[in-house]
Amino acid sequence: MTAVAPAPRGTGGHRRSRGVSTPAVRTLLRGLPTLPAAFLLAVFLGGPILYCVYYAFTDMQLTGASGTRFVGLDNFTRALQDTDFLNAVTLTLVFVVGSAVVGQNTLGLALAVLMQKATKPVRALVSGVVIAAWVLPEVVAGYLMYAFFYDQGSLNSLLEALHLPQQNWLYTMPILAVCLANVWRGTAFSMMVFTAAINDVPQELVEAAEMDGASPWQRLWRVVLPVIRPSILTNLMLITLQTLSVFGLIYTMTRGGPGNKSETLPIFMYQQAFQNSLIGYGTAIALVLLVVGALFSVVYIRLLKLEDD
């Protein structure tokens, strides 16, 4: 009987090429269901962004212009020299820091902590009231806050009953009024994020700190907050981006006034593009707002990566 020598390992060329190509084919097949979603995102999200970028470098107008010309960086140079634009940037930062970073974040955390010890009926009542404000449409919430803050509104009626001085809050302190309105409307999201994060804190850590004699404040500061720090950063990123784009609430309450005392970047962009018919200039402001949101996102994502490391 003649012995058959085993085939050399290098001769299985066809089998090896089949094995190399199979993972690539499988990866392609797994990605096929996502292609329609990727196409829709490219068309309906990427398309408008590219449209915005193009018209930010033109002098496009709604009326009174015979054509659209490419003007380069003129719109951005004009914005940097426009005191109204610089005022809008300042008020946007005040609005974001006051109503999101400080207001919603702090109040949401406080409610989440306090409801851990509250009874079930109290938790249900507080959650219902807070979430009801969150689910309201932005324009409806704006009208409710207008009715609360305006000259003959609910706030002045309450102050009058308490024999305290009254004023027209939407005229004397409009940016404070819209900040408080945004805190009232958006706190529910932060509260739900922090409630879920606190519920995931290992009870062994809290009980160990309690046995060591730590007060409730010390347990919160030294045990709970360090554990939920990634959730805090994630919440800050989300509410910051949401607050940057708030338009309906402010426009319903003050329309950016009186004058420009509550004119944030979205309001300023709308006025330039649709009231002054300067589409090119308004689109440049929109692009600036997009870049500001991207910068905030990069900072928060960087902090999250440092936290993971």
Side-chain angles (χ1 to χ4, degrees):
M1 179 181 292
T2 304
V4 179
R9 294 186 179 181
T11 59
H14 294 292
R15 185 176 301 172
R16 180 174 298 177
S17 63
R18 233 184 358 250
V20 171
S21 63
T22 299
V25 172
R26 290 177 179 174
T27 302
L28 179 62
L29 291 176
R30 282 197 296 265
L32 283 178
T34 64
L35 289 180
F39 174 76
L40 292 176
L41 283 174
V43 172
F44 294 105
L45 183 62
I49 291 176
L50 293 176
Y51 181 86
C52 174
V53 171
Y54 170 72
Y55 279 110
F57 296 93
T58 67
D59 63 349
M60 183 182 182
Q61 299 182 24
L62 283 179
T63 58
S66 57
T68 299
R69 296 182 298 107
F70 184 81
V71 295
L73 297 175
D74 287 357
N75 287 327
F76 300 95
T77 304
R78 174 182 176 180
L80 293 176
Q81 298 173 350
D82 190 346
T83 55
D84 290 335
F85 170 77
L86 299 178
N87 174 74
V89 172
T90 302
L91 290 178
T92 301
L93 292 176
V94 171
F95 181 64
V96 171
V97 174
S99 66
V101 177
V102 176
Q104 294 180 28
N105 191 61
T106 304
L107 184 58
L109 178 61
L111 288 174
V113 171
L114 291 175
M115 289 208 307
Q116 296 295 313
K117 301 297 182 182
T119 61
K120 189 174 181 180
V122 172
R123 287 201 302 270
L125 177 62
V126 173
S127 299
V129 171
V130 175
I131 294 175
W134 184 51
V135 300
L136 284 175
E138 197 174 46
V139 175
V140 176
Y143 275 116
L144 289 176
M145 287 292 98
Y146 175 82
F148 181 75
F149 282 111
Y150 90 114
D151 192 16
Q152 299 177 355
S154 305
L155 179 57
N156 279 339
S157 299
L158 178 61
L159 294 175
E160 183 181 7
L162 297 175
H163 303 287
L164 295 174
Q166 305 132 54
Q167 56 184 310
N168 189 346
W169 301 94
L170 296 177
Y171 183 82
T172 57
M173 289 185 280
I175 192 64
L176 177 61
V178 296
C179 282
L180 293 176
N182 194 52
V183 171
W184 169 76
R185 183 176 182 269
T187 297
F189 180 80
S190 298
M191 182 191 71
M192 291 187 291
V193 170
F194 290 137
T195 298
I198 292 174
N199 288 335
D200 288 338
V201 174
Q203 289 302 309
E204 297 83 3
L205 297 177
V206 179
E207 293 171 358
E210 186 176 3
M211 292 178 63
D212 289 339
S215 64
W217 171 254
Q218 290 174 329
R219 294 198 297 271
L220 173 65
W221 184 258
R222 298 182 179 180
V223 178
V224 176
L225 290 183
V227 174
I228 68 171
R229 192 176 301 163
S231 297
I232 295 176
L233 292 174
T234 301
N235 178 69
L236 279 172
M237 180 178 66
L238 294 175
I239 63 175
T240 297
L241 295 179
Q242 187 274 332
T243 304
L244 275 173
S245 62
V246 169
F247 173 82
L249 185 73
I250 301 175
Y251 192 80
T252 304
M253 291 180 64
T254 66
R255 282 182 168 80
N260 58 0
K261 292 182 179 179
S262 60
E263 189 179 68
T264 57
L265 278 175
I267 302 294
F268 181 72
M269 172 192 66
Y270 171 81
Q271 290 176 346
Q272 296 301 317
F274 299 105
Q275 293 184 355
N276 298 339
S277 300
L278 301 175
I279 293 295
Y281 186 47
T283 308
I285 304 303
L287 191 59
V288 171
L289 187 61
L290 182 65
V291 172
V292 171
L295 291 177
F296 273 110
S297 300
V298 169
V299 171
Y300 285 131
I301 291 173
R302 179 62 179 168
L303 290 175
L304 282 172
K305 288 183 178 179
L306 292 176
E307 184 69 23
D308 293 338
D309 294 340

